[in-house]
């Protein structure tokens, strides 16, 4: 048997990056940037107002207070999107809206709340002192021209997409999305929506795994359910091998009479079967068909999800050249005793709470590999390393959060 890290490293070892392509703004979410993104201009491009109010010369209102307001002459109105045509001279103000460019001569904005006589067009009374630069957003305070904004390999979240848009770009270069073929296997496995015959169960894995790989930026080809029949399995694997970048199967990788995945894989491609020192997900198949990686997940719904999370997710992110391919871990206090033998890595479904400045982890009940509800209740996976021989209440543990 090999260790978890050894198995994962072997799997990631030969993974080649996909080519890159142009992608438009509205499809960028979750994609991985293939070129550094730098700014070609300052943002904001000019000093502009952070408030609705009056652009003034700060020195003019140095003595202003509610008791002795300073009255200024309003010479122009500048809504957002317009630029002042006049420049400000002492004793003057320009009515200005948030986002509008600061008029020449002005060096501060007095918020409308600190003025009086809103209805009086030509005059305004300033009721408070403002410092030079007050309520002015400086040119380039967000972004300066030439600055590296988003590094190659970054997974684009809504905020990165927004930043790209604010540079005026309609598209950027990202890595292609891997196309993942997903196949469920087992004579007992039935498609949701069909009536369940005696002895059958509904197919959960095709849908949970599809969700996981989509979250990792991939596109799914769904090959349905294949029975425990060697020829049928070989056919579907061959087809998927022609059409996909990665193939994921579930079920049929343990040591039962009907566990034919390994046999099918070795007869049409190259096959590595591993017994990994981990729980859940001890039996694991990894190989290649037509040069494309194939991962045979165990059939149990939790095992397949955990193996997909720990192996397939980083593999897909590596194919897209993502900088961070592993989830971040937090350290948490275990609020309970956990029995474990040293010698294998364990992944436990965990709920995490932040209490008094620290994370606390509690298991989500029974940890059987068929108990999918415990996955539903979980915020993440507690990862107990191979050498760990059990956890006492108050011990620190590592948790990978799902979200
Ligand atoms: P196997 O790895 O084929 O021996 O399957 C292990 C267990 O997982 C069995 O109880 C199967 O019925 C169950 N199983 C296999 N495939 C699926 C699936 N797609 N959805 C839900 N359970 C499954
Ligand atoms: Mg089976």
């Amino acid at each position: 048997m090999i260790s978890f890290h050894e198995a994962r490293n072997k799997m990631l070892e030969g993974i080649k990056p996909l080519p890159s392509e142009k992608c438009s703004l509205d499809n960028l979410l979750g994609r991985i940037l293939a070129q550094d993104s730098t700014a070609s201009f300052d943002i904001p491009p000019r000093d502009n107002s952070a408030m609705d109010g009056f652009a003034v010369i700060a020195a003019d209102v140095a003595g202003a207070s509610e008791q002795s307001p300073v009255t200024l002459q309003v010479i122009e109105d500048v809504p957002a999107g317009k630029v002042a045509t006049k420049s400000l001279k002492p004793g003057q103000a320009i009515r200005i809206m948030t986002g509008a460019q600061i008029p020449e001569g002005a060096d501060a904005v007095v918020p409308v709340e600190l003025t009086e006589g809103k209805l009086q067009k030509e005059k305004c009374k300033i009721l408070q002192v403002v410092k030079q630069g007050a309520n002015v957003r400086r040119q380039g305070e967000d972004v300066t021209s030439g600055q590296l904004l988003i590094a190659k390999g970054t997974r684009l979240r809504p905020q990165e997409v927004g930043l790209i848009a604010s540079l005026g770009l309609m598209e950027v270069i990202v890595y292609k999305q891997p196309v993942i073929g997903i196949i469920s296997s087992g004579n007992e496995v039935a498609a949701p929506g069909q009536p369940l015959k005696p002895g059958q169960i509904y197919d959960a894995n095709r849908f949970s795994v599809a969700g996981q790989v989509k979250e990792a930026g991939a596109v799914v080809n769904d090959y349905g359910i294949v029975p425990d029949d060697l020829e049928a399995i070989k056919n579907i694997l061959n087809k998927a091998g022609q059409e996909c970048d990665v193939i994921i199967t579930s079920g049929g990788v343990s040591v039962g009479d009907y566990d034919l995945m390994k046999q099918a894989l070795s007869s049409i491609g190259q096959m590595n079967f591993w017994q990994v020192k981990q729980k859940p997900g001890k039996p694991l198949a990894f190989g290649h068909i037509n040069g494309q990686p194939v991962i045979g997940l165990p059939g149990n719904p939790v095992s397949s999800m955990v193996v997909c999370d720990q192996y397939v997710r980083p593999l897909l992110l590596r194919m897209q050249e993502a900088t961070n391919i592993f989830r971040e871990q937090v350290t948490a206090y275990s609020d309970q005793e956990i029995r474990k033998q040293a010698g294998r890595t364990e992944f436990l479904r965990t709920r995490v709470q932040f209490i008094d400045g620290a994370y606390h982890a509690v298991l989500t009940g029974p940890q059987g590999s068929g108990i999918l509800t415990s996955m539903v209740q979980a915020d993440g996976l507690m990862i107990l390393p191979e050498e760990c021989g059990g956890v006492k209440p108050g011990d620190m543990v590592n948790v990978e959060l799902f979200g």
Side-chain angles (χ1 to χ4, degrees):
M1 267 207 262
I2 60 175
S3 73
F4 161 60
H5 287 288
E6 199 182 341
R8 183 158 75 179
N9 288 340
K10 274 173 186 275
M11 203 181 274
L12 293 174
E13 214 154 65
I15 297 302
K16 290 184 202 67
L18 292 166
S20 56
E21 64 182 5
K22 276 187 189 161
C23 180
S24 64
L25 274 178
D26 43 352
N27 294 312
L28 275 184
L29 189 64
R31 303 296 297 272
I32 315 262
L33 200 61
Q35 283 178 353
D36 285 346
S37 176
T38 49
S40 51
F41 55 85
D42 291 341
I43 302 176
R46 293 293 168 81
D47 291 358
N48 73 74
S49 177
M51 304 288 268
D52 294 331
F54 293 89
V56 300
I57 300 164
D60 272 357
V61 300
S65 69
E66 285 198 28
Q67 289 73 38
S68 60
V70 172
T71 302
L72 298 173
Q73 183 201 1
V74 180
I75 58 165
E76 202 177 347
D77 241 331
V78 185
K82 289 273 189 296
V83 180
T85 57
K86 297 175 185 157
S87 64
L88 216 58
K89 298 194 178 57
Q92 296 181 332
I94 288 181
R95 196 187 312 271
I96 193 166
M97 296 299 128
T98 305
Q101 193 175 311
I102 301 295
E104 216 173 287
D107 62 7
V109 172
V110 183
V112 74
E113 299 87 321
L114 304 181
T115 67
E116 209 177 70
K118 276 164 257 178
L119 297 175
Q120 195 188 343
K121 271 228 151 207
E122 317 75 39
K123 293 266 162 64
C124 71
K125 277 185 182 174
I126 308 293
L127 308 175
Q128 235 181 62
V129 172
V130 287
K131 284 201 203 118
Q132 240 185 19
N135 306 308
V136 175
R137 301 179 190 142
R138 286 284 167 213
Q139 173 176 345
E141 77 174 17
D142 188 2
V143 167
T144 49
S145 180
Q147 185 186 340
L148 171 64
L149 293 180
I150 313 169
K152 174 184 172 188
T154 302
R155 184 122 193 253
L156 302 175
R157 302 170 298 168
Q159 49 269 56
E160 278 89 26
V161 177
L163 187 55
I164 290 167
S166 72
L167 295 173
L169 302 173
M170 285 169 67
E171 53 188 23
V172 288
I173 309 286
V174 295
Y175 288 99
K176 281 200 160 165
Q177 293 182 280
V179 177
I180 313 302
I182 301 185
I183 305 164
S184 286
S185 80
N187 289 337
E188 79 284 24
V189 181
Q194 306 293 315
L196 214 54
K197 300 194 190 105
Q200 286 191 321
I201 53 150
Y202 283 124
D203 182 2
N205 299 348
R206 208 154 31 101
F207 304 96
S208 52
V209 169
Q212 288 179 296
V213 306
K214 283 181 197 164
E215 277 188 354
V219 176
V220 169
N221 272 359
D222 184 345
Y223 292 96
I225 303 162
V226 64
D228 294 316
D229 174 271
L230 192 58
E231 283 313 305
I233 296 174
K234 288 202 296 198
N235 284 341
I236 200 83
L237 285 175
N238 262 327
K239 183 169 159 59
Q242 305 295 320
E243 298 170 350
C244 306
D245 298 310
V246 177
I247 302 157
I248 303 176
T249 68
S250 74
V253 289
S254 25
V255 289
D257 292 344
Y258 296 96
D259 290 330
L260 302 168
M261 203 54 78
K262 297 167 272 170
Q263 208 179 321
L265 257 169
S266 9
S267 77
I268 57 168
Q270 298 83 49
M271 156 72 202
N272 292 302
F273 175 64
W274 298 324
Q275 301 265 13
V276 184
K277 287 185 269 180
Q278 68 179 26
K279 187 187 170 188
K282 177 169 114 182
L284 194 62
F286 179 66
H288 292 87
I289 297 174
N290 196 26
Q292 321 291 20
V294 184
I295 298 112
L297 304 176
N300 275 307
V302 174
S303 314
S304 72
M305 282 199 78
V306 168
V307 173
C308 189
D309 184 71
Q310 294 295 314
Y311 292 82
V312 179
R313 182 180 182 275
L315 181 147
L316 300 182
L317 291 172
R318 170 69 45 89
M319 287 183 102
Q320 300 168 84
E321 294 267 274
T323 309
N324 300 317
I325 64 169
F326 301 119
R327 290 191 191 279
E328 278 187 37
Q329 298 194 343
V330 298
T331 42
Y333 290 106
S334 174
D335 282 355
Q336 70 194 106
E337 181 176 1
I338 301 166
R339 291 165 65 183
K340 175 186 179 294
Q341 294 163 3
R344 69 181 178 206
T345 304
E346 290 196 12
F347 305 94
L348 302 164
R349 285 138 269 165
T350 305
R351 193 173 261 152
V352 176
Q353 277 187 301
F354 197 68
I355 306 166
D356 292 338
Y359 287 108
H360 289 255
V362 181
L363 302 187
T364 59
Q367 297 287 312
S369 54
I371 300 177
L372 198 50
T373 50
S374 64
M375 199 72 179
V376 171
Q377 289 154 15
D379 303 311
L381 294 175
M382 182 189 295
I383 303 184
L384 300 180
E386 212 170 295
E387 64 277 8
C388 167
V391 173
K392 286 193 267 324
D395 283 356
M396 297 300 278
V397 292
N398 284 335
V399 178
E400 282 187 8
L401 297 174
F402 292 140

